[in-house]
Amino acid sequence: MNPSRFLHRKLHHYSHACRRAHGTAALRGGWNLRSAATLCSSSRQPVLGIRREESSVWERRAPLNPNHVQSLVKEGVKVLIQPSTRRAYSMHEYEVAGAVIRDDITEADTIIGVKQPPLSGLIEDKTYVFFSHTIKAQPENMPLLDALLQKGIRLVDYEKLLDEQGFRLVAFGKYAGVSGMINILHGLGLRMLALGHHTPFMHVGTAHNYASSGAAKAAIANLGHEIEYGLMPEVLGPLIFTFTGTGNVSQGAQEVFEELPNEFVPPTDLQEVAKTGDTRKVYATVVSRKDYLVRKESGATSDAANFDVADFDAHMDQYKSTFFDEIAPYTTCLINGGYWGPGM
């Protein structure tokens, strides 16, 4: 689901909840406002703040677009937004939608953003909504979690917004894979240059240098023509891209990859492709758990046809990976689009 659309739906409920002095707004997805008074004051107009993104100079995303802001304003929510000329939407668009543009958003009951805010900018006793990257105990973000607790801040983390079946409602979309793959191809060109080879991949820029994904794909398609013409150094051999995962990220990455002259092969063919493949195209394989996990006592190579997902989920400690021996030696570039969680 589009994060902005989902947030707008939540905040629509939020604005009505603020009008009910001590009511409870039961919101789909596990985000229950235990009491309207916990997020906003019943004695005044509800106020929402939109942070400027400061985690990266390349971050242009916004949690709500001007149309969402306009809808909230019509519902009686006062929307404050910190000025930024890096956002994908202009300040003028937000102003026309009814937002109040100013640096000071301390009036807001709830403050939303995309990525983690700087610790120095956290405001005590507020509700914040953003991707905190703390639920897996990521060491680099533990100071952020400590600061939230010390300042009495309620955190609503997008990663923990779930539906009735426990599936995430806000997650990586296809474009995470698209932009990631563009950057990977750019990085591959730099890596080959460092090894002494000038290749067509040097003509790919980083994702933020393109006005659209279409423009990036056009550049990659041109790179593909150079590969077809035989401009890849023979000494590098056939290039093999290994994709893990089958979700949005992996699919987006594969969509970009397919702009190149390509052939997808099963993991079992990698050794042969590495020996006899054609350098006028690139190869890819998509691997999942069944392709490289085997029971420890079997002592065998992977057997995708007989892999038991239920048994693996119940007895992970009884399995070993053959990825290092059967897939990694033939992989030029690994695109990791699989899910990772503690214990996996």
Side-chain angles (χ1 to χ4, degrees):
M1 175 180 290
N2 180 286
S4 293
R5 188 179 305 140
F6 174 75
L7 250 185
H8 173 251
R9 189 178 69 189
K10 293 294 189 188
L11 291 167
H12 173 81
H13 286 283
Y14 156 75
S15 65
H16 284 286
C18 288
R19 294 193 182 92
R20 297 195 293 271
H22 299 290
T24 297
L27 301 183
R28 182 174 180 267
W31 180 12
N32 293 317
L33 308 184
R34 298 181 182 179
S35 166
T38 62
L39 284 186
C40 55
S41 169
S42 60
S43 62
R44 63 176 174 82
Q45 179 186 26
V47 183
L48 173 73
I50 301 177
R51 291 191 302 105
R52 75 167 61 85
E53 298 298 324
E54 299 177 79
S55 62
S56 168
V57 295
W58 308 117
E59 183 59 77
R60 302 193 66 215
R61 292 176 294 177
L64 295 174
N65 68 35
N67 289 335
H68 299 145
V69 169
Q70 185 176 51
S71 297
L72 288 170
V73 170
K74 288 180 179 178
E75 292 291 338
V77 179
K78 182 178 181 179
V79 179
L80 309 177
I81 182 168
Q82 290 184 320
S84 173
T85 56
R86 288 205 299 254
R87 283 195 191 95
Y89 306 101
S90 70
M91 288 295 92
H92 176 70
E93 290 176 281
Y94 281 109
E95 192 170 32
V96 170
V100 178
I101 300 172
R102 70 188 195 202
D103 275 304
D104 185 0
I105 57 173
T106 54
E107 182 187 354
D109 308 296
T110 298
I111 298 171
I112 65 173
V114 178
K115 301 288 284 185
Q116 308 98 313
L119 302 189
S120 60
L122 292 172
I123 305 172
E124 293 184 352
D125 302 320
K126 300 292 184 181
T127 293
Y128 276 78
V129 187
F130 59 89
F131 282 112
S132 74
H133 300 293
T134 59
I135 65 169
K136 297 172 184 173
Q138 292 94 317
E140 66 274 15
N141 291 323
M142 290 301 97
L144 169 63
L145 192 58
D146 290 338
L148 295 172
L149 293 169
Q150 291 165 5
K151 292 178 178 288
I153 290 171
R154 168 183 285 176
L155 169 64
V156 179
D157 194 317
Y158 296 124
E159 290 191 64
K160 298 304 291 181
L161 294 174
L162 311 175
D163 64 15
E164 290 84 351
Q165 286 74 47
F167 292 105
R168 286 178 58 179
L169 288 169
V170 182
F172 281 119
K174 181 186 75 170
Y175 285 99
V178 169
S179 60
M181 191 65 196
I182 295 166
N183 288 339
I184 285 171
L185 296 179
H186 168 77
L188 184 60
L190 294 178
R191 171 61 178 164
M192 291 178 174
L193 184 65
L195 294 174
H197 308 289
H198 189 285
T199 68
F201 290 97
M202 282 300 298
H203 301 158
V204 180
T206 51
H208 66 262
N209 286 324
Y210 297 101
S212 66
S213 60
K217 288 179 181 178
I220 292 167
N222 286 335
L223 145 68
H225 296 322
E226 295 187 29
I227 293 175
E228 286 180 309
Y229 295 153
L231 298 183
M232 283 296 297
E234 289 282 345
V235 68
L236 293 174
L239 303 186
I240 300 175
F241 292 74
T242 297
F243 294 87
T244 64
T246 57
N248 292 332
V249 174
S250 186
Q251 290 175 30
Q254 291 174 52
E255 181 180 301
V256 172
F257 173 83
E258 288 175 358
E259 295 293 330
L260 301 172
N262 68 83
E263 180 181 346
F264 279 77
V265 298
T268 51
D269 289 355
L270 293 183
Q271 185 174 12
E272 182 61 27
V273 169
K275 291 179 180 177
T276 63
D278 187 351
T279 59
R280 290 171 297 179
K281 60 182 175 180
V282 291
Y283 295 86
T285 190
V286 182
V287 299
S288 60
R289 295 180 296 181
K290 62 181 175 57
D291 297 308
Y292 57 86
L293 291 172
V294 297
R295 278 191 154 278
K296 291 178 179 178
E297 71 270 15
S298 69
T301 56
S302 57
D303 182 7
N306 295 314
F307 180 72
D308 188 332
V309 175
D311 185 69
F312 171 75
D313 289 340
H315 308 288
M316 292 184 187
D317 60 320
Q318 297 177 19
Y319 280 75
K320 66 178 180 180
S321 171
T322 63
F323 193 98
F324 181 81
D325 297 311
E326 297 182 8
I327 297 173
Y330 315 111
T331 297
T332 307
C333 186
L334 173 64
I335 298 89
N336 185 18
Y339 175 78
W340 177 89
M344 296 188 68

